[in-house]
Amino acid sequence: MTDVAREAGCSQATVSFVLNQAPGIKLSFETRQRVLEAARRLGYVVAPSAPVVAPALPGRRIGFVVDQLATSPEAMVAIDGLTQASRPLGDLVLVAQTHSDNALEAELIRSFVAQGVHALVYMTIFTREVELPPQIMSLDVPVLLLNCYTADQAIPAVVPSEIAGGQRSTRHLIEHGHRRIATITGEIWMEAAQDRLKGYRRALATADIPFDPALVIEGDWSASAGYEATRKLLALPEPPTAIFCQNDRTAIGCYEALKEAGLSIPRDMSVVGYDDEEISRHLHPRLSTSILPHRAMGQWIIEQLEGMDGAARRYPLVKLECPLVERDSVAPLKTS
């Protein structure tokens, strides 16, 4: 649906309404035709005008508990991946937000149990190790972790492969001839920031490029932090020629500081982001960035449920790749 929406010049929601022929949604004939033609051009098989018949619901009931829904799009992307994968099976996904409130979390779990859930998915917005509440550990249904994990690995868990993602982003800049590469991190207490920094350093070491701590600026994932950090980097006696922004919002601020300084992207400075948020496609130039695999993580949950047998064991932590999307913000290093 994301591909079709981009091709048709509309929102993903519009594509969903057209392809699923949602009742009560008033879309023009022209819009519907544009979506269908875009889907066909991309090679998707579009059924004729007969309505899409979903399997009888519910099959399994899957409880989904997450600490925050509104702070970032990752939770909704993961839920969408999970529901898209579970829908053909007739599953019903029940979603609840805890706001990191232990009492509310316990009550929500009790409510899910009362509704007869067949499995429980536990997600955190920030990738981290968690200590699960007793209510979860005592459940007699499968429990799976999304974007978090336990120290004993007693529960199946999936997270993004952040070290590899940071390494791939930095290597992309190295492959374009850059050797003086800066990075603007997120808050360094977060595992995502730590791991993306490890990947950055690993790529430098692999290419025999000395690590320079002056080229690492800690931010807080915000555009304003990206702006301030970029100004600091430009003020160095020897500024970088490329900047790895560890999320796309940081890259927005980076773009602003570079343009304010009269620098052209990517002619004067190459920039790479991370997360592949919608805005990355609309920056000028379009931002090269990495995809956070939350949709694939949601799909992975359903795949695991199909094969779980309830036996106690250690589950290796699954890390899904963060693919790099090459756009227009990186260019070969200028040679004088």
Side-chain angles (χ1 to χ4, degrees):
M1 287 192 290
T2 301
D3 294 339
V4 174
R6 190 179 302 120
E7 178 76 11
C10 64
S11 69
Q12 185 174 324
T14 298
V15 175
S16 177
F17 291 143
V18 172
L19 297 184
N20 291 298
Q21 301 187 44
I25 304 297
K26 296 181 179 179
L27 294 172
S28 69
F29 174 80
E30 291 77 12
T31 298
R32 293 180 184 274
Q33 286 301 108
R34 191 167 74 248
V35 169
L36 294 174
E37 288 170 5
R40 292 189 184 100
R41 281 197 304 273
L42 292 172
Y44 295 105
V45 177
V46 181
S49 57
V52 176
V53 179
L57 293 176
R60 294 173 300 189
R61 290 173 178 257
I62 301 172
F64 189 103
V65 177
V66 59
D67 50 4
Q68 294 288 337
L69 279 172
T71 54
S72 65
E74 283 79 24
M76 294 309 301
V77 171
I79 291 167
D80 188 52
L82 191 151
T83 54
Q84 289 292 331
S86 65
R87 186 180 179 194
L89 303 172
D91 295 338
L92 183 64
V93 180
L94 311 174
V95 179
Q97 177 178 226
T98 70
H99 297 289
S100 301
D101 183 315
N102 292 337
L104 176 59
E105 185 175 86
E107 181 57 35
L108 287 169
I109 293 169
R110 282 193 291 269
S111 176
F112 278 156
V113 170
Q115 295 177 67
V117 295
H118 298 83
L120 184 77
V121 181
Y122 187 91
M123 177 181 181
T124 60
I125 287 299
F126 300 126
T127 308
R128 58 188 173 91
E129 181 183 315
V130 293
E131 290 187 15
L132 295 176
Q135 293 86 356
I136 287 183
M137 300 306 296
S138 62
L139 292 178
D140 58 359
V141 298
V143 176
L144 299 102
L145 304 181
L146 199 158
N147 210 44
C148 57
Y149 58 93
T150 56
D152 60 7
Q153 295 183 316
I155 296 177
V158 61
V159 298
S161 185
E162 301 280 22
I163 295 177
Q167 184 173 2
R168 186 176 298 106
S169 298
T170 309
R171 187 174 64 238
H172 181 60
L173 295 169
I174 294 171
E175 289 169 348
H176 281 76
H178 297 278
R179 293 185 62 83
R180 191 153 178 81
I181 301 169
T183 187
I184 305 171
T185 75
E187 294 166 286
I188 208 63
W189 61 266
M190 295 185 185
E191 285 192 22
Q194 295 170 14
D195 287 350
R196 292 173 195 180
L197 181 59
K198 288 177 184 175
Y200 162 83
R201 296 193 62 165
R202 186 175 292 178
L204 295 180
T206 301
D208 292 326
I209 299 174
F211 172 71
D212 184 351
L215 293 177
V216 178
I217 308 291
E218 182 178 349
D220 61 8
W221 310 111
S222 69
S224 58
Y227 175 84
E228 294 298 335
T230 302
R231 292 187 61 183
K232 291 178 183 178
L233 292 168
L234 294 178
L236 291 173
E238 186 182 355
T241 63
I243 302 175
F244 166 30
C245 297
Q246 293 195 11
N247 77 334
D248 294 343
R249 297 179 194 183
T250 297
I252 294 172
C254 175
Y255 268 45
E256 290 302 310
L258 292 173
K259 291 177 180 179
E260 184 180 275
L263 298 178
S264 172
I265 307 165
R267 185 187 66 203
D268 301 316
M269 184 78 71
S270 288
V271 180
V272 169
Y274 207 102
D275 292 357
D276 194 35
E277 291 196 36
E278 178 67 22
I279 187 64
S280 65
R281 304 176 185 91
H282 304 292
L283 294 176
H284 182 74
R286 298 181 307 154
L287 180 65
S288 295
T289 185
S290 294
I291 298 173
L292 274 176
H294 284 75
R295 187 178 307 279
M297 289 158 64
Q299 294 166 348
W300 179 90
I301 292 290
I302 297 301
E303 293 169 2
Q304 299 311 299
L305 277 177
E306 293 302 296
M308 291 185 70
D309 56 13
R313 59 169 65 92
R314 285 176 61 87
Y315 295 89
L317 179 61
V318 173
K319 296 185 177 183
L320 297 189
E321 180 183 1
C322 301
L324 178 68
V325 181
E326 298 182 28
R327 295 195 177 102
D328 309 319
S329 61
V330 176
L333 176 66
K334 288 195 306 183
T335 56
S336 53

